[in-house]
Amino acid sequence: MAEEVMTETESSNFSLLEWICKVKNMALEAYKSKPISHWILLLLSSLGMLVAFPASSLLSRVYFANGGTSKWIISWAAVVGWPIPALILFPTYIFNKTRPTPLNLCLFLSYVFLGFLSAADNLMYAYAYAYLPASTAALLASSSLAFSALFGFWIVNNKLNASVINSIMIITAAMTIIALDSDSDRYPYVTNSQYIWGFVWDILGSALHGLIFALSEWVFIKFLGRRSFHVVLEQQVMVSFFAFVFTTIGVIVNNDFRGMAAEAKTFKGDETAYNLVIIWSVITFQLGVLGATAILFLASTVMAGVFNAVRVPITAIAAVIFMNDPMSGFKILSLVITFWGFASYIYGTSNGTLPKQCVFAAAVRTMNSGCFPTVLGR
């Protein structure tokens, strides 16, 4: 009996050792394969997603909580900053001596289509943040990880294994828990119907978000290639511009530009506070999108999906700290389960072929042989 227990323990250690070796070697090989400028850009892009995107989400909730009512205006604020990446793009043509990517019909239509999807996505999230607490909306948005995995599999043939499928099921369970706990965080002025629609729009927006991620990577692969970072900026400028055009048409049709002055006067605080919320919404959203697009270029839909998921608990926790969002036991449980789903997803997407030196290390079952000295000595 004791021998069986020991055998099971050794088998567990063997598997854990294999996985640690594999991850360490994969990280080392990836690090060596790219110049330092690649990792600096990837770090800045990651910070853009993990800081700017949560800030943008919280600002949307601040807008609605303090008297803002127009879903079109807050959607318009998300795309009116399209000249920001353009200001970064044009100097790259001069200093890097690159030329603009030729704009053929297929690439043009891809930009138009992605711009339309982005405009629709922003509007869906605007409805979600109008009716839901920021922490709840952020947790629901974690479902975009599952949609990124599915669309990445269908469109760009990203890996979809048992761990990834498991993460999709886990995150779905977390969303179900939030739905069952809907009475604990619904604002008094939000009706049951509005809360349900906020829930629905958040899930639909997350699905569309995952589709945009996959299609953006497909555009890189099909039309742009991974030649230089300037193609990232080109795509963001063009997609954001067309999203701006579609959203501006919606604002004009809805006659919301005329209502901005009246909305600013009744905004809690004053007109300055209103203007600051709009301006910072413009800046943070563009920085977040730039970071996400750069990660797609520098890495893949998988990594973009992971970072998009990681920002979810950051947003939820920040909403509790800075906006006093209610955090019930069910919501905490949902957050924990979501973390579990993220871990399963990351493990599944990093589970590849094990380097031979790691197999040797696991076989001898010792920390002093095989790959560990090489990795730790880097």
Side-chain angles (χ1 to χ4, degrees):
M1 186 67 174
E3 291 180 357
E4 291 180 1
V5 173
M6 185 176 295
T7 302
E8 290 179 2
T9 303
E10 288 179 354
S11 178
S12 177
N13 291 336
F14 176 81
S15 299
L16 179 61
L17 191 57
E18 278 188 342
W19 188 79
I20 292 175
C21 287
K22 181 200 65 178
V23 172
K24 284 179 177 290
N25 276 272
M26 288 176 64
L28 180 60
E29 291 172 5
Y31 173 74
K32 289 181 176 180
S33 66
K34 301 290 183 180
I36 189 64
S37 59
H38 172 91
W39 301 111
I40 293 174
L41 284 174
L42 187 60
L43 175 62
L44 294 175
S45 303
S46 303
L47 289 175
M49 281 199 74
L50 298 180
V51 176
F53 259 148
S56 175
S57 299
L58 293 182
L59 285 167
S60 296
R61 184 58 233 165
V62 169
Y63 169 81
F64 289 112
N66 289 276
T69 58
S70 174
K71 286 79 174 177
W72 279 105
I73 288 298
I74 200 66
S75 300
W76 180 78
V79 292
V80 72
W82 69 268
I84 294 176
L87 293 175
I88 304 173
L89 171 63
F90 292 131
T92 64
Y93 293 140
I94 299 172
F95 295 108
N96 296 337
K97 297 180 180 180
T98 56
R99 295 183 178 180
T101 303
L103 189 63
N104 56 44
L105 179 61
C106 291
L107 184 58
F108 175 78
L109 293 177
S110 298
Y111 287 149
V112 173
F113 184 59
L114 284 172
F116 174 77
L117 293 182
S118 296
D121 191 44
N122 294 333
L123 187 61
M124 290 178 185
Y125 277 130
Y127 272 92
Y129 278 91
Y131 301 136
L132 302 175
S135 57
T136 301
L139 286 171
L140 290 173
S142 65
S143 59
S144 64
L145 176 67
F147 291 114
S148 294
L150 293 174
F151 287 124
F153 170 74
W154 288 327
I155 296 174
V156 290
N157 296 320
N158 282 333
K159 182 169 55 178
L160 188 63
N161 55 26
S163 293
V164 175
I165 295 173
N166 180 62
S167 72
I168 294 173
M169 299 303 295
I170 292 171
I171 292 173
T172 302
M175 302 305 99
T176 304
I177 291 174
I178 294 178
L180 295 174
D181 191 42
S182 60
D183 290 337
S184 69
D185 64 353
R186 183 168 58 85
Y187 293 123
Y189 57 85
V190 174
T191 65
N192 287 331
S193 177
Q194 288 175 329
Y195 185 92
I196 292 172
W197 274 112
F199 197 100
V200 171
W201 286 122
D202 207 341
I203 298 297
L204 291 177
S206 299
L208 193 53
H209 204 69
L211 177 61
I212 291 170
F213 268 150
L215 288 176
S216 296
E217 186 175 10
W218 182 80
V219 170
F220 277 131
I221 295 171
K222 188 74 174 178
F223 301 117
L224 297 175
R226 299 181 185 271
R227 301 188 311 275
S228 173
F229 186 71
H230 78 277
V231 299
V232 174
L233 298 172
E234 287 179 345
Q235 189 192 62
Q236 184 177 353
V237 170
M238 296 301 294
V239 172
S240 295
F241 170 74
F242 284 112
F244 166 74
V245 170
F246 287 120
T247 307
T248 301
I249 293 172
V251 174
I252 293 173
V253 171
N254 208 45
N255 204 26
D256 280 359
F257 279 134
R258 291 184 180 180
M260 286 186 71
E263 196 173 64
K265 291 180 181 179
T266 59
F267 198 76
K268 289 182 181 178
D270 51 24
E271 293 184 26
T272 301
Y274 179 85
N275 292 330
L276 285 174
V277 168
I278 298 297
I279 291 171
W280 279 110
S281 294
V282 172
I283 296 172
T284 55
F285 188 86
Q286 286 300 318
L287 290 177
V289 172
L290 178 59
T293 309
I295 290 174
L296 285 171
F297 171 81
L298 297 168
S300 67
T301 302
V302 170
M303 180 168 284
V306 169
F307 278 104
N308 192 50
V310 170
R311 73 181 176 91
V312 169
I314 293 176
T315 306
I317 294 170
V320 173
I321 295 174
F322 297 111
M323 302 187 66
N324 297 317
D325 266 16
M327 183 58 80
S328 65
F330 279 106
K331 196 180 290 187
I332 294 174
L333 177 60
S334 176
L335 182 61
V336 172
I337 293 176
T338 300
F339 269 118
W340 179 16
F342 294 163
S344 179
Y345 183 86
I346 294 170
Y347 175 82
T349 54
S350 66
N351 191 19
T353 303
L354 193 65
K356 292 181 179 179
Q357 58 265 44
C358 284
V359 175
F360 173 74
V364 297
R365 296 179 178 83
T366 175
M367 294 290 287
N368 295 321
S369 61
C371 62
F372 284 96
T374 304
V375 175
L376 296 176
R378 168 62 184 172

